[in-house]
Amino acid sequence: CDVDFCSMCLLSGGILVLPVFVFIASFLFWPGSLLKAYNWFWRQRLGLLVRYSHCGNYRFCYSSRGTPRDATPTLLLLHGFSASKDMWLPVVNHLPRDLHVVCVDMPGHEGTSRTGAEDYSIQGQVTRVHQFVQSIGLDKRPFHLVGTSMGGNVAGVYAARYPAQLSGVTLMCPAGLVYPTETEFIRRLRELENTPQVESIPLIPSTPQELDDMLKLCCYTPPKLHRQVMQGLLDNRIPNNEFYKEVFMELVGEKSRHLLQDNLHLITSPVQVVWGTEDQVLDVSGAAVLEARLPNCQVTLLEKCGHSVSLERPRKTANLIMDFMSAQEVGCENSKKLS
């Protein structure tokens, strides 16, 4: 009996030690894999399921929680350049559990098909997002569209092209405008236009120092990350850097650079604008452009916040979106009563 007891203790001890050993080994030698496991765990905790849909041979990867409801529109979230559906995890953490939420990987990003330049321009992305919406049946009732940065440009142009599908749209620090005040980042982009071979782009880091510089560019208060976490982020990004460069050059090209600005006159949906006052990527003066051009526009400026609003202010972002959606629902109900 004593031998059996000792064996059980050793076995149980081994079972406890093994996960700790795996964690430490992953943190030291495979930090990128550990970050992916962390995102998987967070999705599980939030009740988000990763799914796939298809349009012909084209595959969309997305995560979702809940089911569509008649009373409240579905929330479709479009991430920014070189990010993925998981960038919305901090925001989803503060959204109501019964809300139908969908986070999609944008064309070529993460689990969505990687094809060619025609899909990476803003118009190409709008077309693909529309196909995605149809593939999962979101077009059966109006939904609320949210986009940040590149995704904000896509969301705005989508609102201009498919107004009947939307109950409202939230644009967070969107690209695609003519900004009254230009940031140093935008001025740098203008220099890149005349450079035949682009070696370094601030949003495509390949070294720990460049990643640190990118975080400082995008965040008013950059997250303080352990050296191994930084390495894990790099390990997951670097294999995609050539793709990111291809997408980036499409975004700054003539077809995409000011596409949101060119389509503002076609937007009829209620628009919410959220912008960090300390945005060093796309200047906050863009908010005034939207407010002046869009008759049904509500602007919220976040003090001491940079370009990565969803990362720096996830709770505030979630609350602003829900408040705006609730206001639109009340407005619709009042309109029905008056009619």
Side-chain angles (χ1 to χ4, degrees):
C1 291
D2 289 341
V3 174
D4 290 342
F5 177 74
C6 291
S7 299
M8 288 177 62
C9 287
L10 288 171
L11 180 61
S12 62
I15 291 173
L16 291 173
V17 168
L18 183 59
V20 175
F21 173 78
V22 171
F23 174 82
I24 294 173
S26 297
F27 184 73
L28 293 176
F29 302 109
W30 307 289
S33 297
L34 188 61
L35 289 178
K36 291 180 180 179
Y38 175 74
N39 284 340
W40 175 88
F41 173 78
W42 203 357
R43 286 196 300 268
Q44 296 299 306
R45 188 174 70 83
L46 294 176
L48 283 166
L49 297 178
V50 174
R51 306 173 189 273
Y52 298 91
S53 68
H54 295 81
C55 178
N57 293 326
Y58 195 90
R59 184 184 76 171
F60 299 98
C61 180
Y62 66 103
S63 59
S64 66
R65 183 177 74 186
T67 55
R69 298 187 303 160
D70 291 333
T72 306
T74 292
L75 196 62
L76 174 59
L77 304 166
L78 308 182
H79 64 74
F81 168 74
S82 78
S84 75
K85 59 187 176 299
D86 290 335
M87 71 151 282
W88 294 110
L89 291 174
V91 175
V92 175
N93 186 43
H94 298 290
L95 291 172
R97 278 274 179 172
D98 60 349
L99 179 68
H100 185 217
V101 180
V102 178
C103 311
V104 64
D105 285 328
M106 299 296 278
H109 291 72
E110 196 78 8
T112 291
S113 291
R114 188 168 292 183
T115 50
E118 69 278 1
D119 283 336
Y120 307 147
S121 68
I122 294 301
Q123 183 52 56
Q125 293 194 57
V126 168
T127 299
R128 287 300 187 186
V129 171
H130 183 235
Q131 290 174 350
F132 169 70
V133 165
Q134 292 177 313
S135 72
I136 65 170
L138 274 188
D139 56 337
K140 294 178 180 178
R141 57 174 63 85
F143 62 91
H144 188 89
L145 183 61
V146 179
T148 183
S149 194
M150 175 193 79
N153 193 351
V154 175
V157 176
Y158 193 100
R161 302 292 167 86
Y162 306 104
Q165 293 187 357
L166 302 181
S167 60
V169 59
T170 298
L171 305 178
M172 298 165 52
C173 311
L177 298 172
V178 177
Y179 305 90
T181 302
E182 289 189 343
T183 61
E184 179 62 32
F185 175 77
I186 294 295
R187 287 191 287 272
R188 172 79 187 280
L189 292 189
R190 193 166 288 113
E191 295 174 6
L192 291 177
E193 290 178 38
N194 303 316
T195 305
Q197 291 293 328
V198 179
E199 296 297 332
S200 177
I201 298 173
L203 296 180
I204 308 178
S206 56
T207 67
Q209 183 57 57
E210 289 176 353
L211 178 59
D212 187 59
D213 291 342
M214 186 189 79
L215 292 173
K216 289 176 180 176
L217 174 69
C218 294
C219 301
Y220 176 74
T221 306
K224 296 179 181 179
L225 303 176
H226 189 278
R227 175 173 55 84
Q228 284 300 102
V229 175
M230 296 280 279
Q231 188 59 52
L233 289 171
L234 274 178
D235 290 347
N236 291 340
R237 291 180 63 93
I238 286 176
N240 299 297
N241 275 359
E242 287 305 313
F243 160 71
Y244 294 151
K245 287 180 182 178
E246 184 179 6
V247 175
F248 189 84
M249 298 314 292
E250 281 297 317
L251 297 179
V252 299
E254 289 186 13
K255 291 191 299 182
S256 298
R257 191 186 315 158
H258 300 141
L259 197 59
L260 175 55
Q261 182 88 30
D262 296 339
N263 282 273
L264 289 177
H265 66 288
L266 298 174
I267 297 177
T268 56
S269 303
V271 176
Q272 176 185 41
V273 177
V274 182
W275 219 304
T277 59
E278 307 302 323
D279 193 334
Q280 299 180 77
V281 178
L282 301 171
D283 192 78
V284 67
S285 58
V289 173
L290 294 171
E291 190 172 31
R293 293 287 303 276
L294 301 174
N296 196 1
C297 180
Q298 175 183 305
V299 175
T300 301
L301 304 182
L302 301 180
E303 299 290 335
K304 296 183 179 180
C305 182
H307 186 66
S308 298
V309 172
S310 60
L311 176 63
E312 294 193 76
R313 301 288 180 82
R315 184 191 298 272
K316 182 67 173 178
T317 299
N319 290 340
L320 285 171
I321 293 172
M322 292 309 303
D323 289 346
F324 186 74
M325 290 177 66
S326 297
Q328 300 313 308
E329 289 176 35
V330 171
C332 288
E333 290 176 6
N334 290 339
S335 297
K336 289 178 181 177
K337 289 178 181 177
L338 289 174
S339 60

